[in-house]
Amino acid sequence: ILPLFSKHKVVHFNRTDTRLANNGIQLDLQKLRCRVNFQGLKFTPEIETLGYKLVRILQDKGPFVALHLRYEMDMLAFSGCTHGCTVEEAEELKRLRYAYPWWREKEIMSEERRQQGLCPLTPEEATLVLQALGFDKDTQIYIASGEIFGSERRLASLRAAFPHIVKKETILDPAELPQFQNHSSQMAALDFMVSVASNTFIPTYYGNMAKVVEGHRRYLGFKRSILPDRKKLVELLDLHQNGTLPWNDFALAVRQVHDKRMGQPFRRRIIPDKPKEEDYFYANPEECLCEGTKCEDLVGPSNSSTLH
């Protein structure tokens, strides 16, 4: 490894990120992981220059929310989530899923998965949640995502409720994006930079990007990140939309559910022998957040979420 590193300066270990241990690692090594990931690693100069430009444009207009709207075709096809889609759209998503032999799950019960909280919020659901959380029509919202499935038709309710919606494609000059557009990871890097810098970050699905943005924002001083409880939200949304739960009660319930899901300090959840189900180190790097104080003083014993 050393000769390779000396020659290339960077070594890429492919497909190892999800197999890194969360717990039981020496404190100095955990802190090194944070320094590398949240301070040492940088994007290319081209990505950083454009990312900082996006952030400056948004900040010049005032506070903004980064909404990671994970309502993209690949996400919906492979998760099997078709709530709000037409029959034709659902069939299109199913065909895409079958087109990939390596994807094992083919027949998926969409509504069952949604009730379990395993689907991303739809744009329409995200609209109601944002309103319930107290965001008004003047809120500047940056959509951090690729192409939304259903395009502008699915964004109509969100845009009607929040007219100040922007995306990188609408903020930047058309000549600035083509060099990145055929590289989804580079486009995501721009969204990542904006999400980390935002006043409030809200992911509609708790995937890898949402986790790392959450952890980065914790590392920067517990910046506000609202992490939707999708299982509870689906229950509340259905009650409200069938007329059972009036708006004021719905809004109050949504705020109460998320009172402790704003990016505050809390213990990383540890599940012995089930590392895939426990909290991700880079989403909550608590070992790196206790400089100058004891972790117990920071998070408090009552906030422990360790499972035994």
mmCIF file of all heavy atoms in Angstrom, residues 258-292:
data_model
loop_
_atom_site.group_PDB
_atom_site.id
_atom_site.type_symbol
_atom_site.label_atom_id
_atom_site.label_comp_id
_atom_site.label_asym_id
_atom_site.label_seq_id
_atom_site.Cartn_x
_atom_site.Cartn_y
_atom_site.Cartn_z
ATOM 1 N N HIS A 258 -41.113 15.628 16.485
ATOM 2 C CA HIS A 258 -39.767 15.999 16.054
ATOM 3 C C HIS A 258 -39.039 16.904 17.043
ATOM 4 O O HIS A 258 -37.939 17.393 16.741
ATOM 5 C CB HIS A 258 -39.830 16.643 14.667
ATOM 6 C CG HIS A 258 -40.277 15.684 13.615
ATOM 7 N ND1 HIS A 258 -41.599 15.494 13.289
ATOM 8 C CD2 HIS A 258 -39.577 14.798 12.863
ATOM 9 C CE1 HIS A 258 -41.694 14.551 12.356
ATOM 10 N NE2 HIS A 258 -40.487 14.114 12.091
ATOM 11 N N ASP A 259 -39.605 17.071 18.215
ATOM 12 C CA ASP A 259 -38.983 17.920 19.230
ATOM 13 C C ASP A 259 -37.575 17.451 19.578
ATOM 14 O O ASP A 259 -36.687 18.255 19.853
ATOM 15 C CB ASP A 259 -39.864 17.947 20.485
ATOM 16 C CG ASP A 259 -39.318 18.891 21.536
ATOM 17 O OD1 ASP A 259 -39.040 20.049 21.201
ATOM 18 O OD2 ASP A 259 -39.148 18.460 22.700
ATOM 19 N N LYS A 260 -37.362 16.150 19.586
ATOM 20 C CA LYS A 260 -36.050 15.584 19.935
ATOM 21 C C LYS A 260 -35.286 15.096 18.699
ATOM 22 O O LYS A 260 -34.337 14.329 18.816
ATOM 23 C CB LYS A 260 -36.226 14.397 20.898
ATOM 24 C CG LYS A 260 -36.970 14.713 22.184
ATOM 25 C CD LYS A 260 -36.160 15.634 23.089
ATOM 26 C CE LYS A 260 -36.863 15.811 24.433
ATOM 27 N NZ LYS A 260 -36.124 16.763 25.305
ATOM 28 N N ARG A 261 -35.697 15.560 17.518
ATOM 29 C CA ARG A 261 -35.068 15.107 16.266
ATOM 30 C C ARG A 261 -34.551 16.304 15.461
ATOM 31 O O ARG A 261 -34.729 16.389 14.264
ATOM 32 C CB ARG A 261 -36.074 14.294 15.444
ATOM 33 C CG ARG A 261 -36.592 13.047 16.172
ATOM 34 C CD ARG A 261 -37.647 12.328 15.358
ATOM 35 N NE ARG A 261 -37.112 11.757 14.143
ATOM 36 C CZ ARG A 261 -36.610 10.526 14.049
ATOM 37 N NH1 ARG A 261 -36.572 9.739 15.117
ATOM 38 N NH2 ARG A 261 -36.158 10.076 12.896
ATOM 39 N N MET A 262 -33.919 17.227 16.169
ATOM 40 C CA MET A 262 -33.446 18.470 15.554
ATOM 41 C C MET A 262 -31.919 18.545 15.484
ATOM 42 O O MET A 262 -31.357 19.632 15.351
ATOM 43 C CB MET A 262 -33.978 19.676 16.345
ATOM 44 C CG MET A 262 -35.486 19.768 16.404
ATOM 45 S SD MET A 262 -36.163 20.456 14.882
ATOM 46 C CE MET A 262 -37.921 20.508 15.291
ATOM 47 N N GLY A 263 -31.248 17.425 15.630
ATOM 48 C CA GLY A 263 -29.793 17.446 15.581
ATOM 49 C C GLY A 263 -29.142 17.718 16.919
ATOM 50 O O GLY A 263 -27.945 18.020 16.984
ATOM 51 N N GLN A 264 -29.932 17.623 18.007
ATOM 52 C CA GLN A 264 -29.368 17.834 19.336
ATOM 53 C C GLN A 264 -28.387 16.712 19.687
ATOM 54 O O GLN A 264 -28.407 15.645 19.082
ATOM 55 C CB GLN A 264 -30.468 17.855 20.406
ATOM 56 C CG GLN A 264 -31.606 18.824 20.160
ATOM 57 C CD GLN A 264 -32.808 18.153 19.554
ATOM 58 O OE1 GLN A 264 -32.668 17.312 18.669
ATOM 59 N NE2 GLN A 264 -34.000 18.521 20.016
ATOM 60 N N PRO A 265 -27.545 16.939 20.695
ATOM 61 C CA PRO A 265 -26.657 15.867 21.159
ATOM 62 C C PRO A 265 -27.457 14.696 21.727
ATOM 63 O O PRO A 265 -28.441 14.890 22.427
ATOM 64 C CB PRO A 265 -25.849 16.541 22.282
ATOM 65 C CG PRO A 265 -26.011 18.003 22.066
ATOM 66 C CD PRO A 265 -27.351 18.191 21.436
ATOM 67 N N PHE A 266 -27.078 13.485 21.369
ATOM 68 C CA PHE A 266 -27.632 12.300 22.022
ATOM 69 C C PHE A 266 -26.684 11.134 21.803
ATOM 70 O O PHE A 266 -25.852 11.146 20.893
ATOM 71 C CB PHE A 266 -29.046 11.973 21.532
ATOM 72 C CG PHE A 266 -29.123 11.460 20.110
ATOM 73 C CD1 PHE A 266 -29.009 10.112 19.826
ATOM 74 C CD2 PHE A 266 -29.343 12.336 19.054
ATOM 75 C CE1 PHE A 266 -29.085 9.643 18.528
ATOM 76 C CE2 PHE A 266 -29.426 11.880 17.755
ATOM 77 C CZ PHE A 266 -29.292 10.527 17.494
ATOM 78 N N ARG A 267 -26.802 10.155 22.652
ATOM 79 C CA ARG A 267 -25.932 8.988 22.585
ATOM 80 C C ARG A 267 -26.158 8.212 21.283
ATOM 81 O O ARG A 267 -27.291 8.047 20.842
ATOM 82 C CB ARG A 267 -26.206 8.062 23.766
ATOM 83 C CG ARG A 267 -25.603 8.551 25.072
ATOM 84 C CD ARG A 267 -24.166 8.166 25.118
ATOM 85 N NE ARG A 267 -23.555 8.550 26.376
ATOM 86 C CZ ARG A 267 -22.321 8.961 26.496
ATOM 87 N NH1 ARG A 267 -21.561 9.078 25.428
ATOM 88 N NH2 ARG A 267 -21.812 9.275 27.672
ATOM 89 N N ARG A 268 -25.061 7.752 20.691
ATOM 90 C CA ARG A 268 -25.190 6.897 19.512
ATOM 91 C C ARG A 268 -25.751 5.549 19.945
ATOM 92 O O ARG A 268 -25.276 4.929 20.887
ATOM 93 C CB ARG A 268 -23.831 6.717 18.843
ATOM 94 C CG ARG A 268 -23.926 5.987 17.503
ATOM 95 C CD ARG A 268 -22.622 6.000 16.734
ATOM 96 N NE ARG A 268 -21.544 5.296 17.410
ATOM 97 C CZ ARG A 268 -20.473 5.897 17.923
ATOM 98 N NH1 ARG A 268 -20.342 7.206 17.871
ATOM 99 N NH2 ARG A 268 -19.533 5.188 18.510
ATOM 100 N N ARG A 269 -26.783 5.117 19.241
ATOM 101 C CA ARG A 269 -27.447 3.862 19.589
ATOM 102 C C ARG A 269 -26.577 2.680 19.183
ATOM 103 O O ARG A 269 -26.151 2.570 18.041
ATOM 104 C CB ARG A 269 -28.806 3.775 18.894
ATOM 105 C CG ARG A 269 -29.620 2.548 19.283
ATOM 106 C CD ARG A 269 -30.968 2.568 18.609
ATOM 107 N NE ARG A 269 -30.839 2.612 17.152
ATOM 108 C CZ ARG A 269 -31.822 2.274 16.319
ATOM 109 N NH1 ARG A 269 -32.986 1.916 16.801
ATOM 110 N NH2 ARG A 269 -31.640 2.337 15.014
ATOM 111 N N ILE A 270 -26.330 1.798 20.134
ATOM 112 C CA ILE A 270 -25.517 0.612 19.894
ATOM 113 C C ILE A 270 -26.385 -0.630 20.041
ATOM 114 O O ILE A 270 -27.099 -0.782 21.034
ATOM 115 C CB ILE A 270 -24.341 0.548 20.897
ATOM 116 C CG1 ILE A 270 -23.431 1.772 20.720
ATOM 117 C CG2 ILE A 270 -23.560 -0.746 20.711
ATOM 118 C CD1 ILE A 270 -22.380 1.898 21.796
ATOM 119 N N ILE A 271 -26.346 -1.498 19.046
ATOM 120 C CA ILE A 271 -27.097 -2.757 19.110
ATOM 121 C C ILE A 271 -26.092 -3.890 18.965
ATOM 122 O O ILE A 271 -25.623 -4.175 17.863
ATOM 123 C CB ILE A 271 -28.165 -2.848 18.000
ATOM 124 C CG1 ILE A 271 -29.073 -1.613 18.035
ATOM 125 C CG2 ILE A 271 -29.000 -4.118 18.166
ATOM 126 C CD1 ILE A 271 -30.111 -1.584 16.934
ATOM 127 N N PRO A 272 -25.732 -4.537 20.056
ATOM 128 C CA PRO A 272 -24.748 -5.620 19.987
ATOM 129 C C PRO A 272 -25.128 -6.675 18.948
ATOM 130 O O PRO A 272 -26.278 -7.088 18.847
ATOM 131 C CB PRO A 272 -24.777 -6.208 21.402
ATOM 132 C CG PRO A 272 -25.222 -5.069 22.262
ATOM 133 C CD PRO A 272 -26.216 -4.306 21.432
ATOM 134 N N ASP A 273 -24.142 -7.069 18.133
ATOM 135 C CA ASP A 273 -24.289 -8.112 17.118
ATOM 136 C C ASP A 273 -25.180 -7.714 15.935
ATOM 137 O O ASP A 273 -25.472 -8.537 15.073
ATOM 138 C CB ASP A 273 -24.830 -9.415 17.735
ATOM 139 C CG ASP A 273 -23.950 -9.929 18.865
ATOM 140 O OD1 ASP A 273 -22.718 -9.817 18.728
ATOM 141 O OD2 ASP A 273 -24.491 -10.414 19.868
ATOM 142 N N LYS A 274 -25.639 -6.440 15.897
ATOM 143 C CA LYS A 274 -26.459 -5.986 14.767
ATOM 144 C C LYS A 274 -25.957 -4.630 14.273
ATOM 145 O O LYS A 274 -26.662 -3.618 14.350
ATOM 146 C CB LYS A 274 -27.935 -5.894 15.168
ATOM 147 C CG LYS A 274 -28.574 -7.240 15.464
ATOM 148 C CD LYS A 274 -30.053 -7.084 15.749
ATOM 149 C CE LYS A 274 -30.708 -8.438 16.011
ATOM 150 N NZ LYS A 274 -32.159 -8.297 16.284
ATOM 151 N N PRO A 275 -24.720 -4.582 13.766
ATOM 152 C CA PRO A 275 -24.145 -3.293 13.372
ATOM 153 C C PRO A 275 -24.916 -2.577 12.268
ATOM 154 O O PRO A 275 -24.898 -1.356 12.191
ATOM 155 C CB PRO A 275 -22.729 -3.668 12.907
ATOM 156 C CG PRO A 275 -22.798 -5.122 12.572
ATOM 157 C CD PRO A 275 -23.790 -5.706 13.528
ATOM 158 N N LYS A 276 -25.618 -3.339 11.415
ATOM 159 C CA LYS A 276 -26.352 -2.699 10.330
ATOM 160 C C LYS A 276 -27.581 -1.940 10.830
ATOM 161 O O LYS A 276 -28.125 -1.096 10.124
ATOM 162 C CB LYS A 276 -26.782 -3.746 9.288
ATOM 163 C CG LYS A 276 -25.621 -4.297 8.465
ATOM 164 C CD LYS A 276 -26.114 -5.217 7.370
ATOM 165 C CE LYS A 276 -24.961 -5.737 6.511
ATOM 166 N NZ LYS A 276 -25.449 -6.628 5.430
ATOM 167 N N GLU A 277 -28.046 -2.275 12.034
ATOM 168 C CA GLU A 277 -29.256 -1.643 12.564
ATOM 169 C C GLU A 277 -28.954 -0.533 13.556
ATOM 170 O O GLU A 277 -29.845 0.215 13.936
ATOM 171 C CB GLU A 277 -30.149 -2.706 13.229
ATOM 172 C CG GLU A 277 -30.657 -3.753 12.258
ATOM 173 C CD GLU A 277 -31.510 -4.812 12.942
ATOM 174 O OE1 GLU A 277 -32.065 -4.518 14.010
ATOM 175 O OE2 GLU A 277 -31.591 -5.940 12.416
ATOM 176 N N GLU A 278 -27.703 -0.423 14.001
ATOM 177 C CA GLU A 278 -27.387 0.597 14.983
ATOM 178 C C GLU A 278 -27.077 1.923 14.296
ATOM 179 O O GLU A 278 -27.049 2.006 13.064
ATOM 180 C CB GLU A 278 -26.200 0.162 15.844
ATOM 181 C CG GLU A 278 -24.887 0.040 15.089
ATOM 182 C CD GLU A 278 -23.772 -0.522 15.966
ATOM 183 O OE1 GLU A 278 -24.075 -1.033 17.066
ATOM 184 O OE2 GLU A 278 -22.608 -0.437 15.555
ATOM 185 N N ASP A 279 -26.865 2.968 15.088
ATOM 186 C CA ASP A 279 -26.588 4.286 14.520
ATOM 187 C C ASP A 279 -25.207 4.311 13.875
ATOM 188 O O ASP A 279 -24.259 3.715 14.368
ATOM 189 C CB ASP A 279 -26.680 5.357 15.612
ATOM 190 C CG ASP A 279 -28.110 5.615 16.052
ATOM 191 O OD1 ASP A 279 -29.022 5.207 15.316
ATOM 192 O OD2 ASP A 279 -28.305 6.217 17.118
ATOM 193 N N TYR A 280 -25.130 5.042 12.797
ATOM 194 C CA TYR A 280 -23.940 5.140 11.965
ATOM 195 C C TYR A 280 -22.972 6.136 12.602
ATOM 196 O O TYR A 280 -23.359 7.251 12.963
ATOM 197 C CB TYR A 280 -24.414 5.611 10.604
ATOM 198 C CG TYR A 280 -23.444 5.634 9.475
ATOM 199 C CD1 TYR A 280 -22.511 4.633 9.291
ATOM 200 C CD2 TYR A 280 -23.499 6.658 8.537
ATOM 201 C CE1 TYR A 280 -21.650 4.656 8.205
ATOM 202 C CE2 TYR A 280 -22.648 6.695 7.441
ATOM 203 C CZ TYR A 280 -21.719 5.693 7.295
ATOM 204 O OH TYR A 280 -20.872 5.726 6.221
ATOM 205 N N PHE A 281 -21.703 5.766 12.738
ATOM 206 C CA PHE A 281 -20.719 6.645 13.377
ATOM 207 C C PHE A 281 -20.672 8.020 12.728
ATOM 208 O O PHE A 281 -20.631 9.048 13.413
ATOM 209 C CB PHE A 281 -19.320 6.000 13.329
ATOM 210 C CG PHE A 281 -18.213 6.915 13.778
ATOM 211 C CD1 PHE A 281 -17.966 7.117 15.129
ATOM 212 C CD2 PHE A 281 -17.426 7.602 12.857
ATOM 213 C CE1 PHE A 281 -16.964 7.974 15.548
ATOM 214 C CE2 PHE A 281 -16.422 8.452 13.263
ATOM 215 C CZ PHE A 281 -16.189 8.640 14.616
ATOM 216 N N TYR A 282 -20.689 8.072 11.399
ATOM 217 C CA TYR A 282 -20.542 9.362 10.737
ATOM 218 C C TYR A 282 -21.811 10.205 10.813
ATOM 219 O O TYR A 282 -21.790 11.386 10.465
ATOM 220 C CB TYR A 282 -20.081 9.171 9.293
ATOM 221 C CG TYR A 282 -18.665 8.660 9.235
ATOM 222 C CD1 TYR A 282 -18.366 7.390 8.758
ATOM 223 C CD2 TYR A 282 -17.620 9.429 9.727
ATOM 224 C CE1 TYR A 282 -17.059 6.915 8.739
ATOM 225 C CE2 TYR A 282 -16.313 8.966 9.718
ATOM 226 C CZ TYR A 282 -16.037 7.709 9.222
ATOM 227 O OH TYR A 282 -14.742 7.248 9.230
ATOM 228 N N ALA A 283 -22.935 9.641 11.260
ATOM 229 C CA ALA A 283 -24.140 10.432 11.498
ATOM 230 C C ALA A 283 -24.139 11.013 12.906
ATOM 231 O O ALA A 283 -24.754 12.045 13.161
ATOM 232 C CB ALA A 283 -25.388 9.576 11.297
ATOM 233 N N ASN A 284 -23.448 10.342 13.816
ATOM 234 C CA ASN A 284 -23.399 10.816 15.200
ATOM 235 C C ASN A 284 -22.036 10.473 15.800
ATOM 236 O O ASN A 284 -21.904 9.548 16.598
ATOM 237 C CB ASN A 284 -24.522 10.183 16.026
ATOM 238 C CG ASN A 284 -24.582 10.757 17.430
ATOM 239 O OD1 ASN A 284 -23.985 11.780 17.721
ATOM 240 N ND2 ASN A 284 -25.300 10.078 18.307
ATOM 241 N N PRO A 285 -20.992 11.226 15.425
ATOM 242 C CA PRO A 285 -19.637 10.929 15.909
ATOM 243 C C PRO A 285 -19.421 11.497 17.310
ATOM 244 O O PRO A 285 -18.637 12.424 17.507
ATOM 245 C CB PRO A 285 -18.757 11.637 14.878
ATOM 246 C CG PRO A 285 -19.570 12.811 14.439
ATOM 247 C CD PRO A 285 -21.008 12.363 14.496
ATOM 248 N N GLU A 286 -20.121 10.944 18.288
ATOM 249 C CA GLU A 286 -20.141 11.557 19.620
ATOM 250 C C GLU A 286 -18.757 11.658 20.249
ATOM 251 O O GLU A 286 -18.495 12.582 21.021
ATOM 252 C CB GLU A 286 -21.091 10.802 20.551
ATOM 253 C CG GLU A 286 -20.666 9.376 20.849
ATOM 254 C CD GLU A 286 -21.606 8.710 21.848
ATOM 255 O OE1 GLU A 286 -22.779 8.510 21.521
ATOM 256 O OE2 GLU A 286 -21.157 8.395 22.955
ATOM 257 N N GLU A 287 -17.845 10.728 19.902
ATOM 258 C CA GLU A 287 -16.503 10.786 20.476
ATOM 259 C C GLU A 287 -15.756 12.063 20.076
ATOM 260 O O GLU A 287 -14.818 12.481 20.745
ATOM 261 C CB GLU A 287 -15.675 9.572 20.036
ATOM 262 C CG GLU A 287 -16.175 8.248 20.579
ATOM 263 C CD GLU A 287 -17.173 7.565 19.672
ATOM 264 O OE1 GLU A 287 -17.811 8.278 18.857
ATOM 265 O OE2 GLU A 287 -17.329 6.343 19.750
ATOM 266 N N CYS A 288 -16.177 12.668 18.976
ATOM 267 C CA CYS A 288 -15.494 13.858 18.466
ATOM 268 C C CYS A 288 -16.165 15.154 18.919
ATOM 269 O O CYS A 288 -15.720 16.241 18.559
ATOM 270 C CB CYS A 288 -15.486 13.841 16.938
ATOM 271 S SG CYS A 288 -14.901 12.293 16.232
ATOM 272 N N LEU A 289 -17.230 15.031 19.694
ATOM 273 C CA LEU A 289 -18.041 16.200 20.018
ATOM 274 C C LEU A 289 -17.924 16.607 21.481
ATOM 275 O O LEU A 289 -18.724 17.402 21.966
ATOM 276 C CB LEU A 289 -19.517 15.915 19.689
ATOM 277 C CG LEU A 289 -19.770 15.386 18.274
ATOM 278 C CD1 LEU A 289 -21.235 15.029 18.100
ATOM 279 C CD2 LEU A 289 -19.356 16.421 17.235
ATOM 280 N N CYS A 290 -16.929 16.069 22.166
ATOM 281 C CA CYS A 290 -16.853 16.272 23.609
ATOM 282 C C CYS A 290 -15.607 17.043 24.015
ATOM 283 O O CYS A 290 -15.146 16.934 25.144
ATOM 284 C CB CYS A 290 -16.877 14.927 24.326
ATOM 285 S SG CYS A 290 -18.276 13.907 23.845
ATOM 286 N N GLU A 291 -15.022 17.799 23.103
ATOM 287 C CA GLU A 291 -13.802 18.531 23.408
ATOM 288 C C GLU A 291 -14.056 19.518 24.539
ATOM 289 O O GLU A 291 -14.986 20.315 24.491
ATOM 290 C CB GLU A 291 -13.337 19.295 22.166
ATOM 291 C CG GLU A 291 -11.839 19.515 22.075
ATOM 292 C CD GLU A 291 -11.061 18.231 21.890
ATOM 293 O OE1 GLU A 291 -11.334 17.511 20.927
ATOM 294 O OE2 GLU A 291 -10.197 17.966 22.726
ATOM 295 N N GLY A 292 -13.262 19.435 25.578
ATOM 296 C CA GLY A 292 -13.378 20.380 26.687
ATOM 297 C C GLY A 292 -14.445 20.041 27.691
ATOM 298 O O GLY A 292 -14.687 20.780 28.633
#
